[in-house]
Amino acid sequence: MIQNITSFIKTRTALAVGFLFATSSLIFGIWVAAIPGIKSRMHFSDGSLGLSLLLSPLGAITGMLLSTRVFSKVPVGKWMVGGYIAMGCIMIAQINSANRIMFWTCLYCYGLISFLNGVSSNATVNLLEKKHDRLYMSTCHGMYSLGGAVSAGIAALLFLIHIPPGIQIMLVVLFISTVILSNRANLLSNTEIIHSRSQVKLPSLTILGISFICMVSFMAEGCVADWSAIYFKEVLHAPKAMLSLGYAGFSVAMTFGRLNGDTLITKLGSKNMVIYGALLAASGFLVVVTAYQPFIAIIGYIMIGLGSCTIVPILFRASANIPGVTTVEGFAMVTTGGLVGFLTGPSVIGFISEHAGLSKGLSLLILMCSLSAYVAYKNPFITNKKNIQEAPIAYDEQLY
């Protein structure tokens, strides 16, 4: 792992993009800890909060529709500099929303900007992998997980000294903006136009299979992010200082797995990593919903993190190398399902929780993760070979 990280750090352009991955989770970790307070302040029930969270996937879908236009005109580096700073400003307004209308507007805008940011950063990593002839995707996603762990720790510490989430997010965004602007030369060096405005293609069933796995993985991550603090507070009756530790355990496990991910994928194979990872994540959710105290639930969240750690990097790399489509189209087709899962999953859990309890809502993830393992086993685009192009499959292939 040390050798992998050292090589990554020495590639300044890759490190600058990796920091953007960390930026997303630094912001999101503060949001996770702020959710219980927002729910109480705005008098949301589990169901109404879940319904409100649907606005973010609506924004993401809008971002998907705009992505081909945006990235056929705006160089990817220029978007990354502006897009990630804009995302932080939106989150400041979201956490400090004065009323529900402001909150709903911010949720929609956050989903839109987050999707476009995801396209730009992941497409850039794919270009850098080809340019430098080495893997960066899992390490960059490890930076995302590292940011989540750090922000969860920051939130817990600042809660102990009575600094509210509204101030926390301002401090974090100020730090992030300063680092992005100081590294703008490395980001702006990515001058590629990553979409040619070619005709948009409908995904085949094989690609939809990858999108489904991505949806489940993002759904699991979204539910850990949006519901773990509430689960600790309302089901396990944990003290305030522990509310973010479930997400922290998940993020630490994700970070460790992803920073070792490129090496593990090479040794064990992509298909094996996805199948067994999904089954481990399902087992982790089983531990969480049967836990009777916070420390046991934290172990479950760690299992979820270890199981999920390499799934998304594998799927994103596959999406960027689908025969017959551009990087933006492939990313959009595969990750649309992922972002919908990330942002609608918590809403679905909220509706189930409203009628049957939060433990039963989270139990849905046990089934979904198990099903995604089966889909991965049957999907020919996910292979143990080092390069999917070694076993090319026609774009319109209809097999899972």
Side-chain angles (χ1 to χ4, degrees), residues 215-226:
M215 181 195 76
V216 174
S217 186
F218 272 52
M219 182 178 182
E221 187 169 349
C223 289
V224 171
D226 284 355

Side-chain angles (χ1 to χ4, degrees), residues 2 30 62 65 156 165 171 248 253 259 289 297 323 337 350 356 367 371 397:
I2 298 299
I30 304 298
T62 306
L65 297 175
L171 296 174
L259 292 178
V289 300
L367 173 63
L371 183 58
E397 171 64 65

Side-chain angles (χ1 to χ4, degrees), residues 27 83-93 110 169 173:
I27 292 171
Y84 278 89
I85 293 176
M87 182 177 68
C89 294
I90 290 169
M91 185 55 77
I92 289 176
Y110 183 82
I169 190 62
V173 171

Side-chain angles (χ1 to χ4, degrees), residues 80 164 193 213 301 322:
M80 288 190 292
I193 297 293
I213 301 168
Y301 283 118
I322 295 172

Side-chain angles (χ1 to χ4, degrees), residues 40-124:
S40 176
R41 187 175 80 243
M42 297 191 180
H43 307 292
F44 283 118
S45 64
D46 285 352
S48 61
L49 177 60
L51 184 61
S52 297
L53 294 175
L54 285 170
L55 286 164
S56 280
L58 180 60
I61 291 171
T62 306
M64 178 197 69
L65 297 175
L66 292 175
S67 62
T68 55
R69 291 184 176 273
V70 170
F71 294 113
S72 64
K73 296 179 179 179
V74 181
V76 66
K78 183 177 292 187
W79 176 269
M80 288 190 292
V81 172
Y84 278 89
I85 293 176
M87 182 177 68
C89 294
I90 290 169
M91 185 55 77
I92 289 176
Q94 184 168 306
I95 291 178
N96 290 284
S97 293
N99 52 59
R100 289 191 176 189
I101 293 176
M102 182 177 176
F103 181 65
W104 293 333
T105 302
C106 290
L107 284 170
Y108 175 83
C109 293
Y110 183 82
L112 191 158
I113 294 295
S114 293
F115 184 89
L116 295 175
N117 286 351
V119 171
S120 65
S121 57
N122 281 279
T124 301

Side-chain angles (χ1 to χ4, degrees), residues 40 49 55 61 63 67 74 137 139 161 184 193 200 225 246 271 325 328 345 348 358 367:
S40 176
L49 177 60
L55 286 164
I61 291 171
S67 62
V74 181
M137 189 69 77
T139 304
I161 57 177
R184 64 185 181 278
I193 297 293
V200 176
K271 184 180 284 287
V325 300
V328 174
V348 173
L358 188 51
L367 173 63

Side-chain angles (χ1 to χ4, degrees), residues 279-342:
L279 293 176
L280 180 59
S283 301
F285 276 109
L286 179 61
V287 171
V288 169
V289 300
T290 57
Y292 56 88
Q293 56 179 272
F295 291 108
I296 295 176
I298 291 172
I299 293 172
Y301 283 118
I302 291 172
M303 292 172 63
I304 297 168
L306 290 174
S308 303
C309 61
T310 60
I311 294 177
V312 169
I314 289 169
L315 299 180
F316 280 15
R317 183 176 292 117
S319 74
N321 295 283
I322 295 172
V325 300
T326 68
T327 298
V328 174
E329 290 169 338
F331 184 88
M333 285 189 285
V334 170
T335 60
T336 294
L339 287 175
V340 168
F342 184 75

